[in-house]
Amino acid sequence: MSRSRVVAPIGSEGTEVRADGAGLVFPEPWIERSWSAVPRSDFLPDTVWVLDDGARYRPLERGSEPERWARLVGDPTASVVTQVDDGAPDPAGGHVPTSSVSAPIAVVDMLAELDLHPGQRVLEIGTGSGFNAALLATRVGADRVVTVEIDPELAAGARRALRRAGYGGVTVMEADGERVWSPGAPYDRLVATASVASIPWAWVEQVRPGGLVLSPLRTAFCSHGPVRLSVSEEAAEGRFTGATTFMSVRGQRGRPRIDAVFSAARWETSRRSRATFDVGLLSDPHAEFAVGTRLADVAHWAQGGAHWWCGHDAWAYAADDGTVYQW
């Protein structure tokens, strides 16, 4: 297959974007100008979702709690969940966040890594609220931005918000971003706002040689963060730019479930041993991601100082004293 290598070593330093008492620190002047020109609150629905103590998402209404709503929207370190359970939450509360507006520090960092210049053409995967598409439009022009959203209601809401904000020239496509082929290809930049387990080759083919693909990458083991790939005639190569968690694209949400393979009986029959390395090292996100690339179908999570691993037909548990149980 021509132009079929996608290579992304770990180890580059990401753009430093931090929040201070006054708000965001912007790495480039154009990003600050764009941020000032596009109020984030204009792209957020009156109902957003917040996690309660019982691990369910509850609605936060702008009309009934305006100050709390404004604090959440204005927090430079906080993402805002705009949809749960694909828009059909249980009356008792939502379980899974399925769309959000990313934390401002993450948005700004992605814009800096995209290395966007006036007049370039951009394909965005994951429209969501339309906020990021509007920021892109301030740099290159609304008619040079195409954005793709799989959810019909989100796509319709983004179109309305973009028109109200004066960016109606942005093209919003309702399609599966993993498989989309835009008639406007090739593009100078492709940016995804949701994570994938591997970069779809269709994305690379829609970017001209010399262009960039920027997308969060994840494994079943853990999320990591954006990978920035330079596209040539033969390959797409680059580095990871930092560690930031993003939602998965809709077709790649599934991970092995511990409740499908664990039981009290299996605990009793599990094999006991000792760890040969310090499992606490996996608390480092870079180490966790590196291991996850070798264990593509294994989920991992920490529980206090202990660690669980789960595949489709096996599990392991490492206590904080190094005792390991495997089934």
Side-chain angles (χ1 to χ4, degrees):
M1 180 185 296
S2 63
R3 207 152 62 97
S4 61
R5 280 191 303 127
V6 177
V7 183
I10 299 173
S12 66
E13 294 295 329
T15 303
E16 182 180 356
V17 184
R18 63 188 186 278
D20 59 23
L24 289 170
V25 174
F26 296 94
E28 296 181 26
W30 80 262
I31 298 177
E32 183 173 11
R33 291 193 298 269
S34 295
W35 199 270
S36 299
V38 184
R40 187 176 185 230
S41 58
D42 289 355
F43 287 82
L44 285 165
D46 289 338
T47 301
V48 297
W49 298 82
V50 293
L51 193 62
D52 66 13
D53 294 337
R56 283 181 180 264
Y57 284 85
R58 307 292 184 185
L60 171 59
E61 304 287 348
R62 184 178 192 174
S64 58
E65 298 183 79
E67 293 184 359
R68 187 184 178 198
W69 189 95
R71 282 197 305 272
L72 178 63
V73 171
D75 186 343
T77 65
S79 61
V80 180
V81 176
T82 55
Q83 184 195 69
V84 294
D85 301 336
D86 293 328
D90 187 270
H95 292 86
V96 180
T98 50
S99 187
S100 69
V101 177
S102 297
I105 54 175
V107 174
V108 167
D109 189 43
M110 290 277 281
L111 290 174
E113 292 295 342
L114 197 56
D115 188 28
L116 197 59
H117 298 277
Q120 290 183 329
R121 303 180 67 252
V122 186
L123 177 61
E124 179 191 44
I125 308 298
T127 311
S129 69
F131 174 60
N132 195 64
L135 293 172
L136 297 171
T138 65
R139 181 64 164 169
V140 301
D143 61 340
R144 303 185 76 79
V145 177
V146 176
T147 181
V148 181
E149 174 56 56
I150 193 171
D151 187 293
E153 291 189 11
L154 293 176
R159 288 190 191 97
R160 292 191 295 268
L162 286 162
R163 284 196 299 267
R164 288 195 304 267
Y167 301 101
V170 171
T171 299
V172 180
M173 294 178 60
E174 186 183 314
D176 182 347
E178 286 187 79
R179 299 169 178 83
V180 69
W181 187 274
S182 171
Y187 292 89
D188 300 285
R189 301 287 187 268
L190 184 147
V191 58
T193 61
S195 63
V196 291
S198 62
I199 302 297
W201 191 246
W203 292 4
V204 178
E205 290 184 313
Q206 292 180 85
V207 175
R208 64 168 180 80
L212 293 175
V213 173
L214 183 67
S215 173
L217 206 68
R218 66 178 294 274
T219 68
F221 208 82
C222 73
S223 295
H224 189 264
V227 60
R228 184 178 187 266
L229 303 175
S230 298
V231 176
S232 69
E233 293 285 358
E234 295 80 26
E237 301 179 86
R239 292 187 177 274
F240 296 99
T241 66
T244 309
T245 299
F246 289 80
M247 292 181 185
S248 298
V249 295
R250 188 164 293 191
Q252 297 187 19
R253 290 180 189 158
R255 298 206 309 166
R257 293 174 55 94
I258 188 67
D259 58 1
V261 291
F262 178 85
S263 68
R266 288 172 178 177
W267 176 267
E268 293 299 326
T269 59
S270 63
R271 178 166 57 89
R272 181 173 173 173
S273 61
R274 297 287 300 177
T276 58
F277 70 99
D278 180 4
V279 295
L281 293 172
L282 290 178
S283 298
D284 178 272
H286 299 291
E288 188 183 23
F289 179 76
V291 174
T293 61
R294 305 298 299 272
L295 300 172
D297 296 323
V298 175
H300 162 257
W301 62 98
Q303 187 178 52
H307 292 262
W308 284 94
W309 293 267
C310 174
H312 293 291
D313 57 1
W315 57 261
Y317 172 80
D320 53 9
D321 65 358
T323 304
V324 177
Y325 299 85
Q326 299 176 72
W327 185 90

